Amino acid sequence: MGSAGVPVVVGLDNGGTSNNATVLTVDGRFLVDGLVEIPSEVQAGPDAAIEALARALDGVLALTGVPRELVRAVGLDTPGPASATGVISSRGSTNFSQPAWRGYDVRGALEHRLGLPVVYANDGNAAALYAHHVHFGADAMARSSVAAIVGTGLGGGVVEGGRVVGGAAGMAGEFGHVHIPLDGLLGPGQPVPVCACGFAGDAESVASLTAIANHLLPYWLGRFPGHPLAQEEPGRAAKLVRGYGERGDALAREVFTQQAMALGRLFTIAANFTDPHAYFVGGGVVEAAPEFRDWFLATVREHTVLRAEQHAVATFALVPDRDMAGARGVAIAALEAVRGGAATGPLVAG
């Protein structure tokens, strides 16, 4: 499985429950074809989590038969909010809830533990970078894209010339907290949704799992009396909505239509801001049945207002390999750092 003597970078995708690892050769080949997961231990605090990341590195090297001395750099992605250099927000975050995580330099700590250069990206940016490189292949360094990743919140990334736009504080591409117009999106009497960040009417307040539980489902259950989801606890009901949507349930389609409209309005802002070559949608909706997935993406596109010139060159697509996108994207970022920003060639799995 390994490539004898060829240097590599390792991508480590850190999540709330598990770490996924991948290996990318310097000539652009992924040596891992699926998930290589171990528990992330983030709830046990920073020290335990850093050790778990070190174990993830050792495990994927053992699996691929690559000696440690061939590793040139490690890419690390975590959920945000965190700085561009991998310092967890001083306010903590959903996944990093203990006080010890606040302001913790996770990138620096892992670099110290491994004795290898560590390149950091948040998980939305990593997935955006992977989608971009897979979609454009050899042309990736000459193309631009935006990606919206719908999960518990709404993450994403802006890729320009094949590289993620980080911004001064590392917070560029935080699409969840861009305000979108709500006229014609909300139903009659539907309250303006409020995001966990405190903003009213930002994209995440509509297009996220949290939004379904807190705002969309309560409203639509009031319009569909007797719906079976009314019997479920709200958090569980929110996770079940997609299954109903796949089966064509009217309430679920209303919920997802609002989410698709929100993403379309978000992409309309992006179209006027960076005018990208591609618009990517990722998250749980990507894992859905093909008919539903295609309907959702078509609805996003329908609500993205582009000029004729933009229509002619823009594509809409889904983020591929969702579970592997974070590890693979941050491996690409690490490889670019190793190459000193030289254009990367096409990427191949296997």
Side-chain angles (χ1 to χ4, degrees):
M1 218 173 160
S3 294
V6 178
V8 302
V9 294
V10 173
L12 299 176
D13 170 46
N14 165 264
T17 54
S18 53
N19 294 323
N20 178 40
T22 196
V23 180
L24 175 62
T25 64
V26 292
D27 53 7
R29 287 172 300 122
F30 285 105
L31 301 183
V32 173
D33 218 8
L35 290 173
V36 182
E37 289 190 311
I38 64 163
S40 65
E41 311 288 353
V42 291
Q43 301 304 327
D47 293 347
I50 293 295
E51 286 306 312
L53 285 164
R55 280 197 301 279
L57 174 88
D58 291 341
V60 79
L61 292 179
L63 179 75
T64 53
V66 175
R68 204 170 193 275
E69 55 269 24
L70 287 177
V71 180
R72 296 293 175 264
V74 174
L76 169 68
D77 79 273
T78 74
S83 76
T85 53
V87 177
I88 304 300
S89 167
S90 56
R91 293 168 56 187
S93 77
T94 308
N95 279 2
F96 304 111
S97 51
Q98 287 143 309
W101 279 111
R102 291 176 195 158
Y104 183 79
D105 179 3
V106 65
R107 188 207 66 80
L110 184 63
E111 187 167 88
H112 180 75
R113 169 66 178 79
L114 297 178
L116 289 162
V118 175
V119 174
Y120 177 81
N122 73 42
D123 54 1
N125 283 350
L129 190 61
Y130 179 61
H132 181 92
H133 278 264
V134 169
H135 187 82
F136 289 114
D139 293 330
M141 303 310 281
R143 296 288 182 269
S144 61
S145 64
V146 293
I149 318 290
V150 185
T152 307
L154 179 62
V158 178
V159 177
E160 190 63 52
R163 293 190 187 86
V164 170
V165 176
M171 293 175 182
E174 286 291 346
F175 284 134
H177 308 301
V178 173
H179 284 89
I180 55 169
L182 296 175
D183 299 352
L185 189 156
L186 298 178
Q190 188 171 8
V192 171
V194 177
C195 180
C197 78
F199 285 167
D202 65 10
E204 184 174 301
S205 73
V206 180
S208 63
L209 192 62
T210 306
I212 292 179
N214 294 348
H215 304 299
L216 308 187
L217 205 47
Y219 173 79
W220 288 107
L221 284 172
R223 299 289 179 285
F224 286 83
H227 194 283
L229 283 173
Q231 310 307 314
E232 302 284 352
E233 179 272 320
R236 177 171 156 74
K239 290 177 179 165
L240 293 172
V241 175
R242 191 179 76 210
Y244 279 88
E246 289 174 324
R247 297 190 291 276
D249 177 78
L251 175 149
R253 290 287 172 126
E254 293 284 8
V255 167
F256 285 110
T257 296
Q258 289 193 311
Q259 293 208 322
M261 287 175 76
L263 293 178
R265 290 172 181 215
L266 183 63
F267 284 162
T268 301
I269 293 168
N272 287 291
F273 213 94
T274 63
D275 185 24
H277 291 93
Y279 301 82
F280 297 115
V281 177
V285 75
V286 172
E287 297 177 338
E291 183 273 332
F292 174 81
R293 199 175 62 199
D294 295 345
W295 165 81
F296 186 81
L297 190 64
T299 309
V300 171
R301 183 168 197 155
E302 179 191 332
H303 289 279
T304 303
V305 180
L306 301 178
R307 295 177 180 83
E309 298 89 339
Q310 294 174 310
H311 261 300
V313 294
T315 52
F316 285 71
L318 299 165
V319 175
D321 309 317
R322 185 177 89 100
D323 288 339
M324 295 189 291
R328 287 187 164 194
V330 84
I332 294 167
L335 181 53
E336 285 178 8
V338 167
R339 289 175 167 174
T344 65
L347 298 162
V348 291

